[in-house]
mmCIF file of all heavy atoms in Angstrom:
data_model
loop_
_atom_site.group_PDB
_atom_site.id
_atom_site.type_symbol
_atom_site.label_atom_id
_atom_site.label_comp_id
_atom_site.label_asym_id
_atom_site.label_seq_id
_atom_site.Cartn_x
_atom_site.Cartn_y
_atom_site.Cartn_z
ATOM 1 N N MET R 1 92.609 91.541 112.328
ATOM 2 C CA MET R 1 93.305 92.451 111.436
ATOM 3 C C MET R 1 92.318 93.474 110.895
ATOM 4 O O MET R 1 91.181 93.173 110.616
ATOM 5 C CB MET R 1 93.944 91.647 110.314
ATOM 6 C CG MET R 1 94.822 92.468 109.422
ATOM 7 S SD MET R 1 96.089 91.386 108.746
ATOM 8 C CE MET R 1 96.598 92.377 107.412
ATOM 9 N N SER R 2 92.767 94.694 110.753
ATOM 10 C CA SER R 2 91.906 95.761 110.273
ATOM 11 C C SER R 2 91.723 95.662 108.765
ATOM 12 O O SER R 2 92.637 95.326 108.044
ATOM 13 C CB SER R 2 92.521 97.117 110.597
ATOM 14 O OG SER R 2 92.590 97.289 111.968
ATOM 15 N N SER R 3 90.529 95.977 108.339
ATOM 16 C CA SER R 3 90.288 96.077 106.915
ATOM 17 C C SER R 3 90.516 97.521 106.503
ATOM 18 O O SER R 3 90.623 98.408 107.330
ATOM 19 C CB SER R 3 88.873 95.645 106.578
ATOM 20 O OG SER R 3 87.953 96.589 107.097
ATOM 21 N N LYS R 4 90.605 97.747 105.195
ATOM 22 C CA LYS R 4 90.843 99.118 104.733
ATOM 23 C C LYS R 4 89.731 100.058 105.184
ATOM 24 O O LYS R 4 89.976 101.221 105.463
ATOM 25 C CB LYS R 4 90.967 99.159 103.215
ATOM 26 C CG LYS R 4 92.331 98.825 102.723
ATOM 27 C CD LYS R 4 92.471 99.190 101.270
ATOM 28 C CE LYS R 4 93.913 99.069 100.855
ATOM 29 N NZ LYS R 4 94.149 99.551 99.519
ATOM 30 N N SER R 5 88.512 99.559 105.294
ATOM 31 C CA SER R 5 87.408 100.422 105.693
ATOM 32 C C SER R 5 87.521 100.843 107.157
ATOM 33 O O SER R 5 86.925 101.823 107.564
ATOM 34 C CB SER R 5 86.067 99.720 105.452
ATOM 35 O OG SER R 5 85.962 98.575 106.261
ATOM 36 N N ASP R 6 88.319 100.128 107.966
ATOM 37 C CA ASP R 6 88.506 100.475 109.361
ATOM 38 C C ASP R 6 89.579 101.529 109.562
ATOM 39 O O ASP R 6 89.739 102.067 110.645
ATOM 40 C CB ASP R 6 88.902 99.252 110.184
ATOM 41 C CG ASP R 6 87.785 98.233 110.298
ATOM 42 O OD1 ASP R 6 86.628 98.620 110.081
ATOM 43 O OD2 ASP R 6 88.086 97.070 110.573
ATOM 44 N N ARG R 7 90.343 101.830 108.519
ATOM 45 C CA ARG R 7 91.477 102.720 108.649
ATOM 46 C C ARG R 7 91.076 104.169 108.378
ATOM 47 O O ARG R 7 90.224 104.444 107.561
ATOM 48 C CB ARG R 7 92.585 102.319 107.687
ATOM 49 C CG ARG R 7 93.124 100.946 108.046
ATOM 50 C CD ARG R 7 94.241 100.573 107.151
ATOM 51 N NE ARG R 7 94.644 99.190 107.461
ATOM 52 C CZ ARG R 7 95.334 98.440 106.670
ATOM 53 N NH1 ARG R 7 95.698 98.887 105.487
ATOM 54 N NH2 ARG R 7 95.665 97.219 107.022
ATOM 55 N N VAL R 8 91.732 105.060 109.109
ATOM 56 C CA VAL R 8 91.480 106.479 108.946
ATOM 57 C C VAL R 8 92.824 107.167 108.725
ATOM 58 O O VAL R 8 93.808 106.859 109.396
ATOM 59 C CB VAL R 8 90.808 107.065 110.215
ATOM 60 C CG1 VAL R 8 90.647 108.559 110.125
ATOM 61 C CG2 VAL R 8 89.476 106.379 110.458
ATOM 62 N N HIS R 9 92.855 108.083 107.794
ATOM 63 C CA HIS R 9 94.078 108.862 107.546
ATOM 64 C C HIS R 9 93.980 110.146 108.364
ATOM 65 O O HIS R 9 93.053 110.928 108.176
ATOM 66 C CB HIS R 9 94.216 109.164 106.049
ATOM 67 C CG HIS R 9 95.431 109.971 105.740
ATOM 68 N ND1 HIS R 9 96.691 109.417 105.695
ATOM 69 C CD2 HIS R 9 95.576 111.298 105.481
ATOM 70 C CE1 HIS R 9 97.560 110.381 105.409
ATOM 71 N NE2 HIS R 9 96.914 111.513 105.277
ATOM 72 N N LEU R 10 94.928 110.344 109.257
ATOM 73 C CA LEU R 10 94.930 111.539 110.088
ATOM 74 C C LEU R 10 96.000 112.509 109.613
ATOM 75 O O LEU R 10 97.105 112.108 109.286
ATOM 76 C CB LEU R 10 95.230 111.186 111.550
ATOM 77 C CG LEU R 10 94.215 110.316 112.275
ATOM 78 C CD1 LEU R 10 94.713 109.978 113.663
ATOM 79 C CD2 LEU R 10 92.869 111.004 112.336
ATOM 80 N N VAL R 11 95.643 113.757 109.568
ATOM 81 C CA VAL R 11 96.600 114.808 109.259
ATOM 82 C C VAL R 11 96.854 115.559 110.548
ATOM 83 O O VAL R 11 95.912 116.012 111.206
ATOM 84 C CB VAL R 11 96.054 115.755 108.174
ATOM 85 C CG1 VAL R 11 97.035 116.868 107.886
ATOM 86 C CG2 VAL R 11 95.734 114.980 106.901
ATOM 87 N N MET R 12 98.133 115.652 110.937
ATOM 88 C CA MET R 12 98.465 116.327 112.188
ATOM 89 C C MET R 12 99.798 117.034 112.042
ATOM 90 O O MET R 12 100.608 116.658 111.192
ATOM 91 C CB MET R 12 98.498 115.327 113.340
ATOM 92 C CG MET R 12 99.580 114.279 113.254
ATOM 93 S SD MET R 12 99.562 113.087 114.592
ATOM 94 C CE MET R 12 98.307 111.959 114.023
ATOM 95 N N PRO R 13 100.027 118.031 112.860
ATOM 96 C CA PRO R 13 101.315 118.729 112.819
ATOM 97 C C PRO R 13 102.458 117.752 113.167
ATOM 98 O O PRO R 13 102.267 116.785 113.915
ATOM 99 C CB PRO R 13 101.192 119.797 113.901
ATOM 100 C CG PRO R 13 99.727 119.926 114.151
ATOM 101 C CD PRO R 13 99.112 118.611 113.823
ATOM 102 N N LYS R 14 103.638 118.042 112.617
ATOM 103 C CA LYS R 14 104.799 117.172 112.843
ATOM 104 C C LYS R 14 105.130 117.032 114.322
ATOM 105 O O LYS R 14 105.492 115.962 114.768
ATOM 106 C CB LYS R 14 106.014 117.690 112.077
ATOM 107 C CG LYS R 14 105.897 117.497 110.592
ATOM 108 C CD LYS R 14 107.125 117.984 109.869
ATOM 109 C CE LYS R 14 106.934 117.830 108.368
ATOM 110 N NZ LYS R 14 108.083 118.307 107.623
ATOM 111 N N TYR R 15 105.009 118.132 115.088
ATOM 112 C CA TYR R 15 105.348 118.053 116.508
ATOM 113 C C TYR R 15 104.398 117.112 117.243
ATOM 114 O O TYR R 15 104.804 116.395 118.143
ATOM 115 C CB TYR R 15 105.368 119.433 117.159
ATOM 116 C CG TYR R 15 103.999 120.065 117.347
ATOM 117 C CD1 TYR R 15 103.253 119.820 118.495
ATOM 118 C CD2 TYR R 15 103.433 120.872 116.368
ATOM 119 C CE1 TYR R 15 101.997 120.380 118.671
ATOM 120 C CE2 TYR R 15 102.183 121.432 116.538
ATOM 121 C CZ TYR R 15 101.475 121.180 117.691
ATOM 122 O OH TYR R 15 100.228 121.717 117.850
ATOM 123 N N LEU R 16 103.120 117.094 116.852
ATOM 124 C CA LEU R 16 102.160 116.198 117.498
ATOM 125 C C LEU R 16 102.465 114.752 117.141
ATOM 126 O O LEU R 16 102.445 113.880 118.014
ATOM 127 C CB LEU R 16 100.736 116.559 117.083
ATOM 128 C CG LEU R 16 99.620 115.694 117.677
ATOM 129 C CD1 LEU R 16 99.661 115.694 119.202
ATOM 130 C CD2 LEU R 16 98.266 116.170 117.186
ATOM 131 N N LYS R 17 102.780 114.497 115.890
ATOM 132 C CA LYS R 17 103.142 113.139 115.466
ATOM 133 C C LYS R 17 104.379 112.671 116.230
ATOM 134 O O LYS R 17 104.430 111.537 116.705
ATOM 135 C CB LYS R 17 103.392 113.080 113.966
ATOM 136 C CG LYS R 17 103.696 111.676 113.495
ATOM 137 C CD LYS R 17 103.961 111.642 111.998
ATOM 138 C CE LYS R 17 104.224 110.247 111.478
ATOM 139 N NZ LYS R 17 105.242 109.489 112.196
ATOM 140 N N ALA R 18 105.356 113.552 116.384
ATOM 141 C CA ALA R 18 106.576 113.203 117.118
ATOM 142 C C ALA R 18 106.264 112.863 118.574
ATOM 143 O O ALA R 18 106.785 111.889 119.123
ATOM 144 C CB ALA R 18 107.593 114.343 117.036
ATOM 145 N N GLU R 19 105.396 113.661 119.202
ATOM 146 C CA GLU R 19 105.010 113.394 120.592
ATOM 147 C C GLU R 19 104.260 112.070 120.718
ATOM 148 O O GLU R 19 104.498 111.293 121.647
ATOM 149 C CB GLU R 19 104.158 114.541 121.151
ATOM 150 C CG GLU R 19 104.931 115.799 121.410
ATOM 151 C CD GLU R 19 105.973 115.638 122.505
ATOM 152 O OE1 GLU R 19 105.696 114.995 123.525
ATOM 153 O OE2 GLU R 19 107.070 116.195 122.331
ATOM 154 N N LEU R 20 103.333 111.810 119.787
ATOM 155 C CA LEU R 20 102.589 110.548 119.823
ATOM 156 C C LEU R 20 103.514 109.358 119.588
ATOM 157 O O LEU R 20 103.382 108.319 120.235
ATOM 158 C CB LEU R 20 101.464 110.554 118.794
ATOM 159 C CG LEU R 20 100.225 111.337 119.179
ATOM 160 C CD1 LEU R 20 99.265 111.431 117.999
ATOM 161 C CD2 LEU R 20 99.527 110.688 120.359
ATOM 162 N N ASP R 21 104.452 109.501 118.647
ATOM 163 C CA ASP R 21 105.424 108.430 118.392
ATOM 164 C C ASP R 21 106.236 108.130 119.650
ATOM 165 O O ASP R 21 106.452 106.972 120.008
ATOM 166 C CB ASP R 21 106.374 108.809 117.249
ATOM 167 C CG ASP R 21 105.766 108.603 115.885
ATOM 168 O OD1 ASP R 21 104.810 107.813 115.748
ATOM 169 O OD2 ASP R 21 106.262 109.238 114.924
ATOM 170 N N LYS R 22 106.714 109.184 120.321
ATOM 171 C CA LYS R 22 107.506 109.006 121.540
ATOM 172 C C LYS R 22 106.662 108.363 122.637
ATOM 173 O O LYS R 22 107.110 107.423 123.294
ATOM 174 C CB LYS R 22 108.068 110.351 122.006
ATOM 175 C CG LYS R 22 108.964 110.235 123.222
ATOM 176 C CD LYS R 22 109.533 111.564 123.622
ATOM 177 C CE LYS R 22 110.475 111.494 124.804
ATOM 178 N NZ LYS R 22 110.159 110.577 125.845
ATOM 179 N N PHE R 23 105.455 108.864 122.837
ATOM 180 C CA PHE R 23 104.555 108.318 123.848
ATOM 181 C C PHE R 23 104.312 106.830 123.609
ATOM 182 O O PHE R 23 104.378 106.010 124.520
ATOM 183 C CB PHE R 23 103.230 109.088 123.806
ATOM 184 C CG PHE R 23 102.235 108.697 124.859
ATOM 185 C CD1 PHE R 23 102.263 109.270 126.098
ATOM 186 C CD2 PHE R 23 101.252 107.745 124.585
ATOM 187 C CE1 PHE R 23 101.335 108.916 127.081
ATOM 188 C CE2 PHE R 23 100.321 107.388 125.551
ATOM 189 C CZ PHE R 23 100.363 107.970 126.798
ATOM 190 N N ALA R 24 104.042 106.480 122.345
ATOM 191 C CA ALA R 24 103.775 105.073 121.994
ATOM 192 C C ALA R 24 105.021 104.214 122.172
ATOM 193 O O ALA R 24 104.944 103.126 122.746
ATOM 194 C CB ALA R 24 103.260 104.989 120.563
ATOM 195 N N SER R 25 106.162 104.689 121.688
ATOM 196 C CA SER R 25 107.371 103.867 121.765
ATOM 197 C C SER R 25 107.818 103.686 123.222
ATOM 198 O O SER R 25 108.340 102.627 123.574
ATOM 199 C CB SER R 25 108.488 104.454 120.913
ATOM 200 O OG SER R 25 108.937 105.685 121.433
ATOM 201 N N ASP R 26 107.608 104.693 124.065
ATOM 202 C CA ASP R 26 107.945 104.563 125.482
ATOM 203 C C ASP R 26 107.133 103.466 126.148
ATOM 204 O O ASP R 26 107.554 102.865 127.133
ATOM 205 C CB ASP R 26 107.689 105.872 126.236
ATOM 206 C CG ASP R 26 108.710 106.966 125.918
ATOM 207 O OD1 ASP R 26 109.724 106.651 125.259
ATOM 208 O OD2 ASP R 26 108.477 108.118 126.313
ATOM 209 N N ARG R 27 105.951 103.196 125.625
ATOM 210 C CA ARG R 27 105.068 102.177 126.191
ATOM 211 C C ARG R 27 105.075 100.863 125.398
ATOM 212 O O ARG R 27 104.384 99.920 125.745
ATOM 213 C CB ARG R 27 103.638 102.731 126.272
ATOM 214 C CG ARG R 27 103.526 103.753 127.369
ATOM 215 C CD ARG R 27 102.429 104.739 127.149
ATOM 216 N NE ARG R 27 102.377 105.731 128.214
ATOM 217 C CZ ARG R 27 103.217 106.748 128.354
ATOM 218 N NH1 ARG R 27 104.184 106.924 127.495
ATOM 219 N NH2 ARG R 27 103.103 107.603 129.357
ATOM 220 N N GLY R 28 105.839 100.831 124.305
ATOM 221 C CA GLY R 28 105.973 99.609 123.515
ATOM 222 C C GLY R 28 104.718 99.269 122.711
ATOM 223 O O GLY R 28 104.439 98.094 122.481
ATOM 224 N N VAL R 29 103.969 100.290 122.320
ATOM 225 C CA VAL R 29 102.757 100.053 121.513
ATOM 226 C C VAL R 29 102.824 100.915 120.254
ATOM 227 O O VAL R 29 103.696 101.767 120.121
ATOM 228 C CB VAL R 29 101.474 100.381 122.310
ATOM 229 C CG1 VAL R 29 101.320 99.454 123.498
ATOM 230 C CG2 VAL R 29 101.457 101.827 122.759
ATOM 231 N N SER R 30 101.881 100.713 119.353
ATOM 232 C CA SER R 30 101.864 101.503 118.125
ATOM 233 C C SER R 30 101.131 102.821 118.359
ATOM 234 O O SER R 30 100.316 102.951 119.287
ATOM 235 C CB SER R 30 101.176 100.725 117.008
ATOM 236 O OG SER R 30 99.790 100.612 117.261
ATOM 237 N N MET R 31 101.408 103.785 117.500
ATOM 238 C CA MET R 31 100.716 105.065 117.583
ATOM 239 C C MET R 31 99.226 104.865 117.345
ATOM 240 O O MET R 31 98.402 105.501 117.983
ATOM 241 C CB MET R 31 101.302 106.065 116.582
ATOM 242 C CG MET R 31 100.740 107.446 116.742
ATOM 243 S SD MET R 31 101.584 108.754 115.851
ATOM 244 C CE MET R 31 101.270 108.280 114.169
ATOM 245 N N ALA R 32 98.887 103.976 116.428
ATOM 246 C CA ALA R 32 97.476 103.704 116.155
ATOM 247 C C ALA R 32 96.762 103.188 117.400
ATOM 248 O O ALA R 32 95.622 103.541 117.666
ATOM 249 C CB ALA R 32 97.351 102.700 115.012
ATOM 250 N N SER R 33 97.445 102.352 118.165
ATOM 251 C CA SER R 33 96.872 101.819 119.409
ATOM 252 C C SER R 33 96.609 102.946 120.413
ATOM 253 O O SER R 33 95.572 102.962 121.081
ATOM 254 C CB SER R 33 97.825 100.786 120.009
ATOM 255 O OG SER R 33 97.352 100.331 121.237
ATOM 256 N N VAL R 34 97.549 103.883 120.522
ATOM 257 C CA VAL R 34 97.386 105.012 121.438
ATOM 258 C C VAL R 34 96.175 105.846 121.036
ATOM 259 O O VAL R 34 95.329 106.209 121.866
ATOM 260 C CB VAL R 34 98.663 105.895 121.457
ATOM 261 C CG1 VAL R 34 98.432 107.180 122.228
ATOM 262 C CG2 VAL R 34 99.827 105.119 122.064
ATOM 263 N N ILE R 35 96.057 106.139 119.735
ATOM 264 C CA ILE R 35 94.940 106.948 119.242
ATOM 265 C C ILE R 35 93.623 106.200 119.435
ATOM 266 O O ILE R 35 92.631 106.781 119.888
ATOM 267 C CB ILE R 35 95.147 107.328 117.778
ATOM 268 C CG1 ILE R 35 96.337 108.279 117.663
ATOM 269 C CG2 ILE R 35 93.895 107.950 117.166
ATOM 270 C CD1 ILE R 35 96.815 108.527 116.240
ATOM 271 N N ASN R 36 93.607 104.913 119.135
ATOM 272 C CA ASN R 36 92.414 104.103 119.288
ATOM 273 C C ASN R 36 91.951 104.094 120.746
ATOM 274 O O ASN R 36 90.763 104.271 121.033
ATOM 275 C CB ASN R 36 92.665 102.692 118.797
ATOM 276 C CG ASN R 36 91.420 101.866 118.664
ATOM 277 O OD1 ASN R 36 90.381 102.362 118.246
ATOM 278 N ND2 ASN R 36 91.517 100.595 119.013
ATOM 279 N N ASP R 37 92.879 103.916 121.671
ATOM 280 C CA ASP R 37 92.533 103.912 123.101
ATOM 281 C C ASP R 37 91.982 105.280 123.532
ATOM 282 O O ASP R 37 91.031 105.346 124.316
ATOM 283 C CB ASP R 37 93.738 103.542 123.954
ATOM 284 C CG ASP R 37 94.130 102.086 123.821
ATOM 285 O OD1 ASP R 37 93.339 101.298 123.246
ATOM 286 O OD2 ASP R 37 95.242 101.719 124.283
ATOM 287 N N ALA R 38 92.580 106.357 123.024
ATOM 288 C CA ALA R 38 92.109 107.700 123.372
ATOM 289 C C ALA R 38 90.703 107.930 122.863
ATOM 290 O O ALA R 38 89.866 108.510 123.567
ATOM 291 C CB ALA R 38 93.078 108.745 122.800
ATOM 292 N N VAL R 39 90.413 107.483 121.660
ATOM 293 C CA VAL R 39 89.073 107.641 121.104
ATOM 294 C C VAL R 39 88.064 106.829 121.906
ATOM 295 O O VAL R 39 86.980 107.315 122.234
ATOM 296 C CB VAL R 39 89.042 107.270 119.607
ATOM 297 C CG1 VAL R 39 87.614 107.194 119.084
ATOM 298 C CG2 VAL R 39 89.859 108.261 118.790
ATOM 299 N N LYS R 40 88.418 105.598 122.248
ATOM 300 C CA LYS R 40 87.519 104.769 123.057
ATOM 301 C C LYS R 40 87.221 105.422 124.405
ATOM 302 O O LYS R 40 86.075 105.443 124.851
ATOM 303 C CB LYS R 40 88.139 103.385 123.276
ATOM 304 C CG LYS R 40 88.060 102.481 122.076
ATOM 305 C CD LYS R 40 88.684 101.142 122.387
ATOM 306 C CE LYS R 40 88.681 100.225 121.178
ATOM 307 N NZ LYS R 40 89.353 98.952 121.489
ATOM 308 N N ASP R 41 88.274 105.967 125.052
ATOM 309 C CA ASP R 41 88.079 106.638 126.342
ATOM 310 C C ASP R 41 87.170 107.846 126.193
ATOM 311 O O ASP R 41 86.290 108.092 127.024
ATOM 312 C CB ASP R 41 89.419 107.063 126.940
ATOM 313 C CG ASP R 41 90.241 105.889 127.452
ATOM 314 O OD1 ASP R 41 89.681 104.774 127.601
ATOM 315 O OD2 ASP R 41 91.443 106.098 127.711
ATOM 316 N N TYR R 42 87.385 108.624 125.136
ATOM 317 C CA TYR R 42 86.563 109.796 124.888
ATOM 318 C C TYR R 42 85.104 109.414 124.692
ATOM 319 O O TYR R 42 84.204 110.027 125.257
ATOM 320 C CB TYR R 42 87.067 110.565 123.659
ATOM 321 C CG TYR R 42 86.133 111.686 123.276
ATOM 322 C CD1 TYR R 42 86.177 112.897 123.956
ATOM 323 C CD2 TYR R 42 85.197 111.517 122.282
ATOM 324 C CE1 TYR R 42 85.296 113.929 123.635
ATOM 325 C CE2 TYR R 42 84.308 112.533 121.949
ATOM 326 C CZ TYR R 42 84.368 113.730 122.623
ATOM 327 O OH TYR R 42 83.482 114.734 122.311
ATOM 328 N N LEU R 43 84.873 108.351 123.898
ATOM 329 C CA LEU R 43 83.493 107.918 123.648
ATOM 330 C C LEU R 43 82.817 107.436 124.924
ATOM 331 O O LEU R 43 81.637 107.693 125.134
ATOM 332 C CB LEU R 43 83.467 106.830 122.562
ATOM 333 C CG LEU R 43 83.780 107.322 121.156
ATOM 334 C CD1 LEU R 43 83.860 106.142 120.182
ATOM 335 C CD2 LEU R 43 82.754 108.327 120.678
ATOM 336 N N LYS R 44 83.552 106.744 125.789
ATOM 337 C CA LYS R 44 82.996 106.295 127.060
ATOM 338 C C LYS R 44 82.571 107.492 127.909
ATOM 339 O O LYS R 44 81.492 107.506 128.492
ATOM 340 C CB LYS R 44 84.021 105.450 127.832
ATOM 341 C CG LYS R 44 84.161 104.042 127.351
ATOM 342 C CD LYS R 44 85.174 103.303 128.201
ATOM 343 C CE LYS R 44 85.531 101.972 127.606
ATOM 344 N NZ LYS R 44 86.639 101.325 128.343
ATOM 345 N N GLN R 45 83.459 108.507 127.979
ATOM 346 C CA GLN R 45 83.149 109.703 128.751
ATOM 347 C C GLN R 45 81.947 110.431 128.161
ATOM 348 O O GLN R 45 81.079 110.896 128.902
ATOM 349 C CB GLN R 45 84.357 110.643 128.796
ATOM 350 C CG GLN R 45 85.483 110.137 129.640
ATOM 351 C CD GLN R 45 86.694 111.055 129.581
ATOM 352 O OE1 GLN R 45 86.731 112.009 128.803
ATOM 353 N NE2 GLN R 45 87.689 110.768 130.394
ATOM 354 N N TYR R 46 81.897 110.536 126.857
ATOM 355 C CA TYR R 46 80.793 111.212 126.175
ATOM 356 C C TYR R 46 79.467 110.500 126.461
ATOM 357 O O TYR R 46 78.477 111.132 126.802
ATOM 358 C CB TYR R 46 81.064 111.265 124.684
ATOM 359 C CG TYR R 46 79.903 111.834 123.878
ATOM 360 C CD1 TYR R 46 79.695 113.197 123.838
ATOM 361 C CD2 TYR R 46 79.033 110.998 123.192
ATOM 362 C CE1 TYR R 46 78.628 113.726 123.115
ATOM 363 C CE2 TYR R 46 77.965 111.512 122.474
ATOM 364 C CZ TYR R 46 77.762 112.883 122.438
ATOM 365 O OH TYR R 46 76.717 113.387 121.737
ATOM 366 N N GLN R 47 79.466 109.172 126.365
ATOM 367 C CA GLN R 47 78.255 108.400 126.610
ATOM 368 C C GLN R 47 77.822 108.544 128.082
ATOM 369 O O GLN R 47 76.635 108.625 128.369
ATOM 370 C CB GLN R 47 78.452 106.943 126.227
ATOM 371 C CG GLN R 47 78.551 106.747 124.729
ATOM 372 C CD GLN R 47 79.007 105.358 124.339
ATOM 373 O OE1 GLN R 47 79.510 104.603 125.153
ATOM 374 N NE2 GLN R 47 78.845 105.019 123.080
ATOM 375 N N LYS R 48 78.789 108.564 129.002
ATOM 376 C CA LYS R 48 78.455 108.715 130.408
ATOM 377 C C LYS R 48 77.848 110.090 130.663
ATOM 378 O O LYS R 48 76.840 110.206 131.368
ATOM 379 C CB LYS R 48 79.718 108.524 131.261
ATOM 380 C CG LYS R 48 79.447 108.565 132.754
ATOM 381 C CD LYS R 48 80.710 108.288 133.545
ATOM 382 C CE LYS R 48 80.427 108.204 135.015
ATOM 383 N NZ LYS R 48 80.247 109.474 135.676
ATOM 384 N N GLN R 49 78.448 111.138 130.088
ATOM 385 C CA GLN R 49 77.919 112.491 130.270
ATOM 386 C C GLN R 49 76.513 112.605 129.675
ATOM 387 O O GLN R 49 75.640 113.238 130.243
ATOM 388 C CB GLN R 49 78.834 113.529 129.620
ATOM 389 C CG GLN R 49 80.122 113.742 130.370
ATOM 390 C CD GLN R 49 81.061 114.681 129.639
ATOM 391 O OE1 GLN R 49 80.849 115.041 128.503
ATOM 392 N NE2 GLN R 49 82.144 115.071 130.322
ATOM 393 N N LYS R 50 76.334 111.987 128.537
ATOM 394 C CA LYS R 50 75.039 112.019 127.871
ATOM 395 C C LYS R 50 73.980 111.303 128.723
ATOM 396 O O LYS R 50 72.869 111.789 128.888
ATOM 397 C CB LYS R 50 75.133 111.372 126.504
ATOM 398 C CG LYS R 50 73.935 111.600 125.619
ATOM 399 C CD LYS R 50 74.162 111.054 124.226
ATOM 400 C CE LYS R 50 72.911 111.223 123.400
ATOM 401 N NZ LYS R 50 73.035 110.660 122.074
ATOM 402 N N ALA R 51 74.358 110.159 129.306
ATOM 403 C CA ALA R 51 73.433 109.410 130.157
ATOM 404 C C ALA R 51 73.140 110.186 131.435
ATOM 405 O O ALA R 51 71.992 110.178 131.912
ATOM 406 C CB ALA R 51 74.029 108.058 130.496
ATOM 407 N N ASP R 52 74.138 110.858 131.990
ATOM 408 C CA ASP R 52 73.931 111.654 133.213
ATOM 409 C C ASP R 52 73.017 112.846 132.954
ATOM 410 O O ASP R 52 72.302 113.278 133.849
ATOM 411 C CB ASP R 52 75.272 112.139 133.770
ATOM 412 C CG ASP R 52 76.091 111.006 134.370
ATOM 413 O OD1 ASP R 52 75.538 109.908 134.564
ATOM 414 O OD2 ASP R 52 77.294 111.226 134.621
ATOM 415 N N ALA R 53 73.058 113.387 131.747
ATOM 416 C CA ALA R 53 72.223 114.528 131.403
ATOM 417 C C ALA R 53 70.747 114.149 131.233
ATOM 418 O O ALA R 53 69.862 114.983 131.404
ATOM 419 C CB ALA R 53 72.732 115.171 130.112
ATOM 420 N N ASP R 54 70.495 112.892 130.951
ATOM 421 C CA ASP R 54 69.094 112.423 130.734
ATOM 422 C C ASP R 54 68.356 112.193 132.006
ATOM 423 O O ASP R 54 68.503 112.346 133.049
ATOM 424 C CB ASP R 54 69.092 111.117 129.947
ATOM 425 C CG ASP R 54 69.526 111.336 128.502
ATOM 426 O OD1 ASP R 54 69.528 112.500 128.047
ATOM 427 O OD2 ASP R 54 69.870 110.341 127.857
#
């Protein structure tokens, strides 16, 4: 379970929230899970690019 320190408040346009809600509900997961997975994927790509540059 997440602690309060693990939580982030995101401000986003209503249309983006609606799209994320639809995307998440179509897959049977929470919007937070979708965002968390996207951030993890981004960080993996960033670390790979950084390692390739070295």
Side-chain angles (χ1 to χ4, degrees):
M1 187 151 162
S2 296
S3 68
K4 276 193 170 187
S5 64
D6 292 340
R7 296 183 185 161
V8 175
H9 179 78
L10 296 176
V11 178
M12 65 182 82
K14 289 181 182 179
Y15 72 88
L16 179 57
K17 183 180 182 309
E19 288 295 319
L20 282 172
D21 281 338
K22 183 178 182 323
F23 184 87
S25 67
D26 287 350
R27 288 154 182 75
V29 296
S30 70
M31 187 168 65
S33 176
V34 171
I35 293 170
N36 191 39
D37 289 348
V39 170
K40 284 181 182 177
D41 288 346
Y42 173 80
L43 289 175
K44 281 181 191 173
Q45 289 177 353
Y46 174 78
Q47 289 169 345
K48 184 176 185 283
Q49 287 175 351
K50 192 174 176 183
D52 289 347
D54 291 344

